[in-house]
């Protein structure tokens, strides 16, 4: 399954748009915030020295969430300039986000998030469509957010591409993952569970929110006969293979561990609009799943995938993306091969 040169199926309009959109993170604050841009640049260069920052190339603009809610930060030659804005209404409702994130509104740190009186919006855009460009943009946006989240007045952050709500205290762990060159998978995507009206009783279905921001596709488990926690494993396994190993799936592939008790999950490609999905999805099917994939999706066509938005060579090695990201930071404007 690994090592073959593939092109991912072209996602539909919604997925393609998400795979080109800026990575936006909302930093929630308990009160008004003022700062100078060059102070933030200095903090980023000190806390995240392995990321590409260009200090001093932009004006040292004063920022205030109430009076001057705009500033910029340079993220190097291969990413757009990061914009930071403040003020305005939040584009989400806590009644929707908290249940999705399994957060209890009675918990004090969650109450603090909901009571925030100001916020920042951080936007970083990749200049290329390769997954390395997309991950690099997300890493820079996360690093900037973590720097602000370390302030005493920060209450939490919300990732705009996945609606993941993260209390401010937890961003220290996320920041360390970025420093170590890792992928903070569960801070970037949000696994959710949904009711499939056609599923037999006791079968669960779930999907990722946010993976499409990197590839144009989400991943889902459909009508799994396993308990919820066990059904979550292939969902995260597939997400990890895509983000950390740069793997490209084909319709009809299988996913699973080696060993006598291994379960080979079948992988089917579901186009946007099918069964109400707003983006293309890779559907993971347990061997005992009753989901009628051939009836609804046709015969697997994994060996004839059309040209994709994201083009890359899969290595199957965990450190593949980390090495590419290091090369990305060192290459500046030079294209990666």
């Amino acid at each position: 399954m690994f090592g073959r040169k593939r092109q991912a199926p072209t996602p539909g309009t919604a997925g393609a748009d998400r795979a080109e959109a800026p990575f936006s993170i909302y930093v929630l604050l308990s009160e008004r915030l003022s700062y100078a841009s060059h102070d933030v640049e200095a903090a980023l260069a000190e806390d995240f020295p392995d990321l590409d920052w260009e200090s001093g190339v932009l004006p040292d603009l004063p920022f205030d969430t109430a009076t001057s809610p705009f500033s910029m930060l340079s993220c190097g030659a291969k990413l757009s300039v990061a914009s930071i804005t403040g003020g305005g209404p939040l584009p989400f409702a806590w009644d929707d986000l908290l249940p999705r994130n399994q957060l209890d509104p009675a918990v004090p740190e969650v109450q603090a998030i909901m009571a925030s009186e100001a916020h920042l919006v951080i936007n970083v855009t990749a200049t290329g469509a390769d997954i390395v460009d997309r991950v690099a943009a997300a890493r820079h946006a996360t690093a900037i957010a973590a720097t602000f989240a370390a302030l005493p007045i920060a209450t939490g952050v919300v990732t705009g591409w996945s609606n993941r709500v993260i209390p401010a205290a937890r961003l220290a762990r996320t920041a360390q993952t970025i420093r170590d060159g890792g992928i903070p998978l569960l801070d970037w995507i949000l696994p959710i569970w949904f009711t499939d009206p056609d599923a037999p009783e006791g079968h669960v279905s779930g999907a990722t929110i946010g993976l499409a921001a990197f590839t144009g596709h989400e991943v889902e488990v459909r009508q799994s006969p396993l308990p919820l926690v066990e059904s979550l494993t292939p969902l995260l396994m597939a997400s990890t293979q895509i983000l950390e190993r740069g793997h490209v799936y084909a319709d009809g592939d299988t996913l699973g561990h080696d060993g006598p008790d291994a379960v080979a999950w079948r992988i089917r490609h579901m186009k946007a609009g099918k069964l109400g999905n707003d983006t293309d999805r890779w559907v993971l099917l347990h061997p005992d799943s009753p989901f009628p994939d051939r009836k609804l999706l046709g015969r697997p066509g994994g060996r004839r995938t059309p040209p994709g938005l994201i083009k890359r060579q899969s290595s199957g090695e965990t450190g593949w993306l980390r090495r590419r990201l290091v090369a990305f930071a060192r290459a500046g404007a030079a294209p990666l091969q």
Side-chain angles (χ1 to χ4, degrees):
M1 184 169 71
F2 293 115
R4 289 182 296 170
K5 189 173 183 180
R6 288 181 174 173
Q7 294 179 336
T10 304
T13 301
D17 288 347
R18 292 184 193 184
E20 295 176 350
F23 285 93
S24 300
I25 301 182
Y26 299 80
V27 181
L28 307 173
L29 309 167
S30 61
E31 60 185 61
R32 177 177 174 178
L33 174 66
S34 299
Y35 66 84
S37 298
H38 285 186
D39 290 340
V40 178
E41 289 179 350
L44 289 167
E46 180 179 348
D47 293 345
F48 301 93
D50 292 336
L51 297 186
D52 191 9
W53 312 104
E54 292 183 331
S55 300
V57 299
L58 296 174
D60 189 16
L61 298 175
F63 181 98
D64 189 289
T65 49
T67 60
S68 305
F70 179 79
S71 69
M72 298 180 295
L73 297 170
S74 176
C75 296
K78 288 185 68 65
L79 296 174
S80 71
V81 171
S83 67
I84 304 176
T85 57
L90 291 169
F92 44 76
W94 295 121
D95 289 346
D96 178 43
L97 259 60
L98 295 186
R100 282 190 171 196
N101 284 268
Q102 299 182 351
L103 294 175
D104 184 353
V107 173
E109 68 176 0
V110 178
Q111 291 179 341
I113 291 174
M114 297 172 63
S116 301
E117 296 186 0
H119 66 271
L120 307 174
V121 186
I122 299 162
N123 287 291
V124 180
T125 304
T127 56
D130 189 274
I131 193 170
V132 175
D133 302 283
R134 301 295 296 168
V135 169
R139 282 163 55 84
H140 280 72
T142 304
I144 297 170
T147 299
F148 285 111
L151 298 173
I153 64 172
T155 61
V157 305
V158 179
T159 55
W161 64 90
S162 64
N163 289 338
R164 169 64 86 179
V165 181
I166 309 170
R170 209 174 85 194
L171 261 291
R173 183 190 67 185
T174 307
Q176 190 58 50
T177 301
I178 296 294
R179 291 188 194 97
D180 293 340
I183 300 294
L185 181 67
L186 289 179
D187 293 330
W188 282 0
I189 68 170
L190 178 63
I192 62 167
W193 303 102
F194 61 90
T195 301
D196 185 340
D198 297 322
E201 184 177 354
H203 288 63
V204 299
S205 299
T208 60
I209 298 178
L211 196 61
F214 298 91
T215 67
H217 297 75
E218 299 290 355
V219 175
E220 75 168 46
V221 169
R222 179 72 67 158
Q223 298 184 14
S224 169
L226 301 182
L228 189 147
V229 173
E230 293 181 38
S231 298
L232 178 64
T233 300
L235 201 68
L236 297 181
M237 186 191 305
S239 300
T240 299
Q241 285 190 347
I242 292 169
L243 285 185
E244 292 193 2
R245 302 184 181 186
H247 190 64
V248 178
Y249 291 130
D251 189 20
D253 276 348
T254 58
L255 174 76
H257 294 294
D258 294 331
D261 298 326
V263 174
W265 295 72
R266 291 180 294 119
I267 302 174
R268 298 302 316 274
H269 182 241
M270 181 186 294
K271 293 183 178 180
K274 199 74 173 181
L275 302 181
N277 295 336
D278 60 350
T279 62
D280 288 47
R281 292 187 179 186
W282 293 111
V283 183
L284 309 179
L285 299 173
H286 187 276
D288 297 329
S289 170
F291 181 69
D293 60 296
R294 292 213 171 197
K295 177 181 178 181
L296 296 174
L297 307 178
R299 293 176 59 85
R303 303 300 173 261
R304 301 179 61 189
T305 53
L309 176 71
I310 312 294
K311 299 180 180 180
R312 55 202 182 270
Q313 176 75 32
S314 168
S315 71
E317 300 176 12
T318 303
W320 175 85
L321 185 59
R322 186 174 300 182
R323 291 194 298 274
R324 292 286 306 274
L325 287 167
V326 171
F328 179 99
R330 293 174 178 171
L336 291 173
Q337 301 297 327

